[in-house]
Amino acid sequence: MKGPFRTYPVLNGPFMTYPWRILSEVGSTIPDMTISKLLQTQSLLLEHSSHGVITAWRLEQLGVPQRTTYRRCQPGGPWTHLLPGIVLLSRTPPTTRQRIEAALLHCDHRGMVTGFEALRLYGLSATLKTRAVHVLVPEEHRFTSANFTIVERTKHFPEPVVLDEVPLAPPNRAVLDGLRRIRDFDLVSATLLEALESGLCTHHDLVAELDSGSRRGTALPRSVLRRLTEDVRSVPELDAVALWRRAGLSEPMCNVKIFAPDGRFIAMSDLWDDEVAMAWEIDSWEFHQKGALFAKTVERNSRYAANGIVVVQTLPSQLRSDPEAVIRDLRAARRWASSRPRPQVTVVPARKRSA
């Protein structure tokens, strides 16, 4: 290859196994210079890095031989080896942004970030806490996973969404790419609920993504999405709907607004039996027993009582620790509610998500 570039042998060890780039993709390079002059300052190297992350190949073009890069990444050295042929120009633990940049460099910037790291960049919080960076690449490429980078080759390579100069898989794809690797019902439910409630995804688009992609690992997300056709807004509410049905009660309404005959707002009930005007509230002890929140809970229950509404209160932990007791409470409350005249309250149903 022609040009004013220094040439070094490629080492065969795991540290120096990295893909070679086409020089024209990198732009201008720096002419030969002595190592001592280059290492007098870190600023030159940082200038040619991305967030402090740089390839060993690029360092060669800047005049740093492979042997010097290898030595500076050894214990006690000033740099950190992140991935094969990729270096962090400091000894501090890499930030999330630096791990993302390293993962993209590992794939020659021919991929996009997907899964939970992409969801965090989209602003979701109910995601798996992990250092892994999941990257999609076109099927024809042969990049492999390494260290914290999960490389997935795909036939269905979508158009990326670029946020803060990071190419991301579209939200629906990112959600399902993350959840296909998870077997935790609560985490799958919480992630899907937040994606839907935030407006990042729609129920229809998530189902369409499931139907168009690989079916591997999709059984749990499919099951949760079927249950999310109601306006359920939390994981405990999902458990509550399942117990309500086990109790043999009529189909509940979720998160409805209840109004008195004169139009005054009474409450928004987690689950509601409109036939007998019975409310079921899933009240977290930690959330509802603190200061102003406790006062609001008392006021809500007083409005229920003043308007003749039967209300059942249950802690989220009880839904799983003692489901049979919860079912007995619901059935007893339903019998009591059906034994008195239904109060003349009205409800405004929550808008259901499209199936």
Side-chain angles (χ1 to χ4, degrees):
M1 183 174 292
K2 297 180 180 180
F5 309 122
R6 299 176 65 177
T7 302
Y8 299 98
V10 179
L11 303 182
N12 293 324
F15 176 78
M16 286 303 166
T17 304
Y18 57 87
W20 287 89
R21 278 91 175 154
I22 299 174
L23 296 184
S24 61
E25 294 179 358
V26 180
S28 61
T29 57
I30 294 178
D32 247 351
M33 61 180 67
T34 63
I35 299 302
S36 59
K37 181 179 179 181
L38 181 64
L39 298 181
Q40 286 176 358
T41 176
Q42 184 91 328
S43 62
L44 176 63
L45 302 182
L46 289 172
E47 179 183 343
H48 289 271
S49 73
S50 179
H51 300 272
V53 178
I54 193 169
T55 64
W57 179 87
R58 184 58 172 144
L59 287 170
E60 281 188 297
Q61 297 305 305
L62 294 170
V64 182
Q66 293 177 9
R67 62 181 179 273
T68 301
T69 298
Y70 180 83
R71 185 174 64 251
R72 290 174 73 81
C73 289
Q74 291 297 297
W79 296 348
T80 304
H81 170 221
L82 294 179
L83 293 169
I86 298 173
V87 172
L88 174 63
L89 297 174
S90 76
R91 205 64 192 177
T92 58
T95 64
T96 298
R97 186 64 182 83
Q98 288 168 336
R99 284 187 288 105
I100 289 174
E101 182 59 30
L104 292 172
L105 280 174
H106 179 67
C107 299
D108 279 355
H109 278 285
R110 293 172 183 169
M112 65 183 73
V113 179
T114 189
F116 291 112
E117 202 61 75
L119 295 183
R120 277 188 281 274
L121 291 176
Y122 278 124
L124 299 194
S125 59
T127 60
L128 182 67
K129 307 307 178 186
T130 174
R131 294 180 67 255
V133 180
H134 188 173
V135 181
L136 290 178
V137 298
E139 187 182 35
E140 63 269 19
H141 294 300
R142 292 294 181 264
F143 305 111
T144 58
S145 299
N147 196 358
F148 53 78
T149 301
I150 300 171
V151 178
E152 180 178 347
R153 295 187 296 123
T154 178
K155 293 179 181 178
H156 307 287
F157 192 72
E159 187 70 23
V161 176
V162 180
L163 290 181
D164 192 24
E165 300 182 347
V166 177
L168 305 177
N172 300 321
R173 180 67 181 271
V175 168
L176 296 172
D177 279 345
L179 296 184
R180 282 191 291 106
R181 298 168 178 267
I182 302 300
R183 300 295 178 266
D184 184 320
F185 175 85
D186 285 356
L187 179 58
V188 171
S189 301
T191 302
L192 288 172
L193 280 164
E194 187 179 6
L196 291 166
E197 288 297 321
S198 66
L200 182 65
C201 303
T202 68
H203 190 281
H204 176 272
D205 289 342
L206 285 169
V207 172
E209 182 66 41
L210 279 171
D211 291 341
S212 65
S214 169
R215 298 184 68 86
R216 177 173 53 86
T218 63
L220 184 54
R222 285 179 189 277
S223 173
V224 173
L225 276 173
R226 282 195 296 269
R227 300 172 68 177
L228 289 177
T229 54
E230 299 97 353
D231 190 30
V232 177
R233 299 183 179 180
S234 70
V235 175
E237 285 181 30
L238 277 175
D239 293 333
V241 169
L243 280 185
W244 183 288
R245 290 170 178 164
R246 276 181 56 188
L249 306 183
S250 56
E251 192 66 12
M253 302 173 72
C254 301
N255 294 298
V256 297
K257 295 180 179 178
I258 309 165
F259 295 90
D262 60 3
R264 288 180 296 107
F265 175 74
I266 299 173
M268 176 181 282
S269 176
D270 290 335
L271 278 82
W272 173 258
D273 185 335
D274 195 51
E275 183 181 347
V276 297
M278 182 180 84
W280 188 16
E281 298 289 352
I282 315 302
D283 289 342
S284 165
W285 177 270
E286 179 182 1
F287 183 82
H288 287 271
Q289 303 302 314
K290 292 182 177 179
L293 296 175
F294 175 74
K296 289 182 179 179
T297 301
V298 172
E299 291 171 3
R300 178 203 68 192
N301 290 346
S302 296
R303 292 195 299 272
Y304 276 141
N307 288 277
I309 296 171
V310 174
V311 59
V312 180
Q313 287 183 273
T314 304
L315 296 177
S317 58
Q318 290 178 278
L319 299 174
R320 295 187 182 182
S321 65
D322 198 357
E324 297 305 322
V326 174
I327 289 174
R328 288 194 298 271
D329 290 344
L330 287 172
R331 287 172 175 168
R334 181 54 160 77
R335 287 193 297 269
W336 168 248
S338 62
S339 69
R340 73 7 172 169
R342 184 193 185 281
Q344 297 304 304
V345 295
T346 58
V347 299
V348 175
R351 181 177 59 85
K352 287 183 178 292
R353 304 186 182 99
S354 58

mmCIF file of all heavy atoms in Angstrom, residues 243-269:
data_model
loop_
_atom_site.group_PDB
_atom_site.id
_atom_site.type_symbol
_atom_site.label_atom_id
_atom_site.label_comp_id
_atom_site.label_asym_id
_atom_site.label_seq_id
_atom_site.Cartn_x
_atom_site.Cartn_y
_atom_site.Cartn_z
ATOM 1 N N LEU A 243 -54.735 -12.909 39.588
ATOM 2 C CA LEU A 243 -55.423 -13.402 40.785
ATOM 3 C C LEU A 243 -56.921 -13.120 40.727
ATOM 4 O O LEU A 243 -57.746 -13.942 41.163
ATOM 5 C CB LEU A 243 -54.823 -12.762 42.040
ATOM 6 C CG LEU A 243 -53.521 -13.365 42.570
ATOM 7 C CD1 LEU A 243 -53.137 -12.708 43.884
ATOM 8 C CD2 LEU A 243 -53.664 -14.869 42.767
ATOM 9 N N TRP A 244 -57.285 -11.961 40.223
ATOM 10 C CA TRP A 244 -58.706 -11.612 40.080
ATOM 11 C C TRP A 244 -59.418 -12.677 39.237
ATOM 12 O O TRP A 244 -60.504 -13.143 39.579
ATOM 13 C CB TRP A 244 -58.817 -10.237 39.427
ATOM 14 C CG TRP A 244 -60.204 -9.694 39.270
ATOM 15 C CD1 TRP A 244 -61.168 -10.116 38.409
ATOM 16 C CD2 TRP A 244 -60.784 -8.583 39.991
ATOM 17 N NE1 TRP A 244 -62.305 -9.358 38.523
ATOM 18 C CE2 TRP A 244 -62.095 -8.396 39.489
ATOM 19 C CE3 TRP A 244 -60.316 -7.725 40.975
ATOM 20 C CZ2 TRP A 244 -62.932 -7.388 39.952
ATOM 21 C CZ3 TRP A 244 -61.148 -6.711 41.426
ATOM 22 C CH2 TRP A 244 -62.440 -6.555 40.936
ATOM 23 N N ARG A 245 -58.794 -13.072 38.146
ATOM 24 C CA ARG A 245 -59.393 -14.087 37.282
ATOM 25 C C ARG A 245 -59.425 -15.451 37.973
ATOM 26 O O ARG A 245 -60.381 -16.207 37.808
ATOM 27 C CB ARG A 245 -58.617 -14.149 35.967
ATOM 28 C CG ARG A 245 -58.833 -12.904 35.109
ATOM 29 C CD ARG A 245 -57.883 -12.848 33.944
ATOM 30 N NE ARG A 245 -58.153 -11.666 33.109
ATOM 31 C CZ ARG A 245 -57.309 -11.183 32.216
ATOM 32 N NH1 ARG A 245 -56.135 -11.771 32.019
ATOM 33 N NH2 ARG A 245 -57.636 -10.109 31.499
ATOM 34 N N ARG A 246 -58.380 -15.772 38.737
ATOM 35 C CA ARG A 246 -58.381 -17.026 39.486
ATOM 36 C C ARG A 246 -59.515 -17.065 40.500
ATOM 37 O O ARG A 246 -60.046 -18.128 40.814
ATOM 38 C CB ARG A 246 -57.042 -17.216 40.205
ATOM 39 C CG ARG A 246 -55.940 -17.815 39.353
ATOM 40 C CD ARG A 246 -54.685 -17.988 40.151
ATOM 41 N NE ARG A 246 -54.889 -18.805 41.355
ATOM 42 C CZ ARG A 246 -53.967 -18.981 42.297
ATOM 43 N NH1 ARG A 246 -52.782 -18.385 42.193
ATOM 44 N NH2 ARG A 246 -54.223 -19.737 43.348
ATOM 45 N N ALA A 247 -59.872 -15.893 41.028
ATOM 46 C CA ALA A 247 -60.946 -15.822 42.021
ATOM 47 C C ALA A 247 -62.319 -16.036 41.387
ATOM 48 O O ALA A 247 -63.321 -16.174 42.107
ATOM 49 C CB ALA A 247 -60.907 -14.476 42.742
ATOM 50 N N GLY A 248 -62.385 -16.056 40.056
ATOM 51 C CA GLY A 248 -63.652 -16.296 39.376
ATOM 52 C C GLY A 248 -64.558 -15.090 39.319
ATOM 53 O O GLY A 248 -65.769 -15.222 39.106
ATOM 54 N N LEU A 249 -63.999 -13.893 39.493
ATOM 55 C CA LEU A 249 -64.812 -12.676 39.445
ATOM 56 C C LEU A 249 -65.007 -12.239 37.992
ATOM 57 O O LEU A 249 -64.286 -12.668 37.089
ATOM 58 C CB LEU A 249 -64.137 -11.569 40.257
ATOM 59 C CG LEU A 249 -63.775 -11.928 41.709
ATOM 60 C CD1 LEU A 249 -63.180 -10.716 42.409
ATOM 61 C CD2 LEU A 249 -64.989 -12.441 42.460
ATOM 62 N N SER A 250 -65.978 -11.355 37.796
ATOM 63 C CA SER A 250 -66.208 -10.846 36.445
ATOM 64 C C SER A 250 -64.980 -10.049 35.987
ATOM 65 O O SER A 250 -64.213 -9.529 36.813
ATOM 66 C CB SER A 250 -67.455 -9.957 36.423
ATOM 67 O OG SER A 250 -67.341 -8.909 37.371
ATOM 68 N N GLU A 251 -64.812 -9.944 34.677
ATOM 69 C CA GLU A 251 -63.610 -9.305 34.124
ATOM 70 C C GLU A 251 -63.442 -7.891 34.686
ATOM 71 O O GLU A 251 -64.372 -7.078 34.652
ATOM 72 C CB GLU A 251 -63.709 -9.249 32.604
ATOM 73 C CG GLU A 251 -62.409 -8.886 31.905
ATOM 74 C CD GLU A 251 -61.322 -9.949 32.065
ATOM 75 O OE1 GLU A 251 -61.633 -11.077 32.528
ATOM 76 O OE2 GLU A 251 -60.166 -9.647 31.727
ATOM 77 N N PRO A 252 -62.238 -7.574 35.227
ATOM 78 C CA PRO A 252 -62.056 -6.264 35.855
ATOM 79 C C PRO A 252 -61.802 -5.156 34.838
ATOM 80 O O PRO A 252 -61.417 -5.407 33.698
ATOM 81 C CB PRO A 252 -60.818 -6.480 36.722
ATOM 82 C CG PRO A 252 -60.006 -7.471 35.942
ATOM 83 C CD PRO A 252 -61.023 -8.400 35.309
ATOM 84 N N MET A 253 -62.018 -3.937 35.277
ATOM 85 C CA MET A 253 -61.573 -2.758 34.541
ATOM 86 C C MET A 253 -60.333 -2.250 35.272
ATOM 87 O O MET A 253 -60.241 -2.325 36.497
ATOM 88 C CB MET A 253 -62.672 -1.690 34.519
ATOM 89 C CG MET A 253 -63.970 -2.177 33.903
ATOM 90 S SD MET A 253 -65.313 -0.959 34.065
ATOM 91 C CE MET A 253 -64.785 0.285 32.884
ATOM 92 N N CYS A 254 -59.361 -1.765 34.517
ATOM 93 C CA CYS A 254 -58.091 -1.343 35.114
ATOM 94 C C CYS A 254 -57.909 0.167 35.013
ATOM 95 O O CYS A 254 -58.155 0.767 33.959
ATOM 96 C CB CYS A 254 -56.927 -2.050 34.427
ATOM 97 S SG CYS A 254 -56.989 -3.842 34.516
ATOM 98 N N ASN A 255 -57.492 0.757 36.126
ATOM 99 C CA ASN A 255 -57.142 2.187 36.170
ATOM 100 C C ASN A 255 -58.260 3.086 35.639
ATOM 101 O O ASN A 255 -58.040 3.967 34.798
ATOM 102 C CB ASN A 255 -55.841 2.430 35.394
ATOM 103 C CG ASN A 255 -54.648 1.754 36.052
ATOM 104 O OD1 ASN A 255 -54.294 2.061 37.184
ATOM 105 N ND2 ASN A 255 -54.048 0.802 35.352
ATOM 106 N N VAL A 256 -59.471 2.844 36.141
ATOM 107 C CA VAL A 256 -60.608 3.680 35.742
ATOM 108 C C VAL A 256 -60.744 4.868 36.691
ATOM 109 O O VAL A 256 -60.374 4.786 37.871
ATOM 110 C CB VAL A 256 -61.923 2.872 35.738
ATOM 111 C CG1 VAL A 256 -61.882 1.758 34.713
ATOM 112 C CG2 VAL A 256 -62.226 2.307 37.129
ATOM 113 N N LYS A 257 -61.264 5.955 36.191
ATOM 114 C CA LYS A 257 -61.553 7.127 37.011
ATOM 115 C C LYS A 257 -62.999 7.031 37.492
ATOM 116 O O LYS A 257 -63.908 6.778 36.690
ATOM 117 C CB LYS A 257 -61.334 8.409 36.220
ATOM 118 C CG LYS A 257 -59.884 8.628 35.820
ATOM 119 C CD LYS A 257 -59.727 9.918 35.025
ATOM 120 C CE LYS A 257 -58.264 10.136 34.649
ATOM 121 N NZ LYS A 257 -58.080 11.373 33.837
ATOM 122 N N ILE A 258 -63.214 7.236 38.795
ATOM 123 C CA ILE A 258 -64.532 7.073 39.407
ATOM 124 C C ILE A 258 -65.042 8.445 39.843
ATOM 125 O O ILE A 258 -64.308 9.230 40.461
ATOM 126 C CB ILE A 258 -64.455 6.125 40.619
ATOM 127 C CG1 ILE A 258 -63.746 4.822 40.214
ATOM 128 C CG2 ILE A 258 -65.836 5.840 41.184
ATOM 129 C CD1 ILE A 258 -63.314 3.989 41.411
ATOM 130 N N PHE A 259 -66.324 8.718 39.535
ATOM 131 C CA PHE A 259 -66.914 10.014 39.847
ATOM 132 C C PHE A 259 -68.211 9.843 40.628
ATOM 133 O O PHE A 259 -68.978 8.898 40.394
ATOM 134 C CB PHE A 259 -67.192 10.792 38.558
ATOM 135 C CG PHE A 259 -65.963 11.155 37.785
ATOM 136 C CD1 PHE A 259 -65.457 10.299 36.823
ATOM 137 C CD2 PHE A 259 -65.298 12.346 38.040
ATOM 138 C CE1 PHE A 259 -64.316 10.624 36.104
ATOM 139 C CE2 PHE A 259 -64.161 12.685 37.334
ATOM 140 C CZ PHE A 259 -63.659 11.818 36.368
ATOM 141 N N ALA A 260 -68.454 10.781 41.548
ATOM 142 C CA ALA A 260 -69.692 10.803 42.331
ATOM 143 C C ALA A 260 -70.838 11.282 41.442
ATOM 144 O O ALA A 260 -70.612 11.835 40.354
ATOM 145 C CB ALA A 260 -69.522 11.729 43.536
ATOM 146 N N PRO A 261 -72.101 11.099 41.898
ATOM 147 C CA PRO A 261 -73.259 11.536 41.095
ATOM 148 C C PRO A 261 -73.211 13.007 40.717
ATOM 149 O O PRO A 261 -73.725 13.399 39.658
ATOM 150 C CB PRO A 261 -74.451 11.225 41.998
ATOM 151 C CG PRO A 261 -73.981 10.093 42.852
ATOM 152 C CD PRO A 261 -72.526 10.359 43.113
ATOM 153 N N ASP A 262 -72.607 13.848 41.580
ATOM 154 C CA ASP A 262 -72.542 15.280 41.264
ATOM 155 C C ASP A 262 -71.327 15.640 40.408
ATOM 156 O O ASP A 262 -71.054 16.820 40.173
ATOM 157 C CB ASP A 262 -72.539 16.110 42.551
ATOM 158 C CG ASP A 262 -71.352 15.798 43.450
ATOM 159 O OD1 ASP A 262 -70.488 14.978 43.045
ATOM 160 O OD2 ASP A 262 -71.275 16.363 44.561
ATOM 161 N N GLY A 263 -70.570 14.632 39.953
ATOM 162 C CA GLY A 263 -69.438 14.876 39.071
ATOM 163 C C GLY A 263 -68.105 15.021 39.774
ATOM 164 O O GLY A 263 -67.074 15.180 39.104
ATOM 165 N N ARG A 264 -68.094 14.980 41.104
ATOM 166 C CA ARG A 264 -66.820 15.109 41.825
ATOM 167 C C ARG A 264 -65.971 13.850 41.631
ATOM 168 O O ARG A 264 -66.477 12.736 41.664
ATOM 169 C CB ARG A 264 -67.061 15.338 43.323
ATOM 170 C CG ARG A 264 -67.606 16.718 43.663
ATOM 171 C CD ARG A 264 -67.818 16.883 45.161
ATOM 172 N NE ARG A 264 -68.848 15.965 45.657
ATOM 173 C CZ ARG A 264 -68.610 14.889 46.399
ATOM 174 N NH1 ARG A 264 -67.366 14.566 46.729
ATOM 175 N NH2 ARG A 264 -69.615 14.126 46.817
ATOM 176 N N PHE A 265 -64.678 14.063 41.456
ATOM 177 C CA PHE A 265 -63.749 12.946 41.291
ATOM 178 C C PHE A 265 -63.564 12.233 42.627
ATOM 179 O O PHE A 265 -63.353 12.876 43.665
ATOM 180 C CB PHE A 265 -62.401 13.452 40.777
ATOM 181 C CG PHE A 265 -61.334 12.392 40.685
ATOM 182 C CD1 PHE A 265 -61.369 11.431 39.681
ATOM 183 C CD2 PHE A 265 -60.297 12.349 41.610
ATOM 184 C CE1 PHE A 265 -60.388 10.451 39.587
ATOM 185 C CE2 PHE A 265 -59.305 11.378 41.526
ATOM 186 C CZ PHE A 265 -59.361 10.425 40.506
ATOM 187 N N ILE A 266 -63.647 10.901 42.604
ATOM 188 C CA ILE A 266 -63.441 10.119 43.826
ATOM 189 C C ILE A 266 -62.033 9.536 43.851
ATOM 190 O O ILE A 266 -61.260 9.779 44.786
ATOM 191 C CB ILE A 266 -64.495 8.989 43.924
ATOM 192 C CG1 ILE A 266 -65.891 9.578 43.981
ATOM 193 C CG2 ILE A 266 -64.211 8.112 45.152
ATOM 194 C CD1 ILE A 266 -67.002 8.526 43.917
ATOM 195 N N ALA A 267 -61.696 8.757 42.843
ATOM 196 C CA ALA A 267 -60.387 8.114 42.823
ATOM 197 C C ALA A 267 -60.162 7.463 41.468
ATOM 198 O O ALA A 267 -61.072 7.369 40.640
ATOM 199 C CB ALA A 267 -60.284 7.061 43.932
ATOM 200 N N MET A 268 -58.935 7.012 41.257
ATOM 201 C CA MET A 268 -58.626 6.135 40.133
ATOM 202 C C MET A 268 -58.276 4.781 40.722
ATOM 203 O O MET A 268 -57.293 4.648 41.463
ATOM 204 C CB MET A 268 -57.463 6.659 39.285
ATOM 205 C CG MET A 268 -57.067 5.692 38.153
ATOM 206 S SD MET A 268 -55.676 6.264 37.156
ATOM 207 C CE MET A 268 -56.493 7.475 36.131
ATOM 208 N N SER A 269 -59.070 3.792 40.411
ATOM 209 C CA SER A 269 -58.913 2.467 41.011
ATOM 210 C C SER A 269 -57.978 1.603 40.183
ATOM 211 O O SER A 269 -58.049 1.600 38.947
ATOM 212 C CB SER A 269 -60.283 1.782 41.110
ATOM 213 O OG SER A 269 -60.146 0.471 41.605
#
